[in-house]
């Protein structure tokens, strides 16, 4: 399956450098455990599809009062997403669910 996602240049850079191990979304872009190719539309200056990454996992994490499910650590989620805990909580907003897309391999195109 192929999915097009828009992504901030800062986060795309982290994916391409291998530093960002998960991409976080508020909606589930694909079925969990389905092999997916994510084509990245870079927002900001370029405004074009500039990279692609493969993923074989998408995990749902439910938050209650800003705290993730049992067994999940907000610090680790934020670190793997190259975000601060404060940025992660701001992104979550009033919602209670995030999807963590595992980044397997990435390349610029």
């Amino acid at each position: 399956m192929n999915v097009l996602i828009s992504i901030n240049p800062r986060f795309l850079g982290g994916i391409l450098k291998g530093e960002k191990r998960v991409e976080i979304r508020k909606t589930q872009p694909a079925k969990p455990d389905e092999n997916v190719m994510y084509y990245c539309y870079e927002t900001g200056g370029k405004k074009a599809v500039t990279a692609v990454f493969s993923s074989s996992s998408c995990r749902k994490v439910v938050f209650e009062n800003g705290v993730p499910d049992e067994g999940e650590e907000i610090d680790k989620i934020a670190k793997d997403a190259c975000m601060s805990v404060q940025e992660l909580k701001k992104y979550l907003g009033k919602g209670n669910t995030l999807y963590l897309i595992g980044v397997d391999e990435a390349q610029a195109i």
Side-chain angles (χ1 to χ4, degrees), residues 6 11 23-27 83-100:
S6 61
F11 297 121
E23 173 59 14
I24 296 184
R25 296 288 152 156
K26 291 181 182 179
T27 56
M83 301 172 87
S84 69
V85 171
Q86 183 179 4
E87 287 175 311
L88 181 64
K89 286 182 177 182
K90 183 178 178 182
Y91 181 72
L92 178 63
K94 294 181 181 181
N96 69 343
T97 304
L98 291 178
Y99 294 89
L100 310 181

Side-chain angles (χ1 to χ4, degrees), residues 1-19:
M1 170 185 264
N2 295 326
V3 175
L4 177 66
I5 60 172
S6 61
I7 189 165
N8 180 293
R10 170 185 155 209
F11 297 121
L12 183 56
I15 287 173
L16 291 172
K17 292 177 189 171
E19 298 166 353

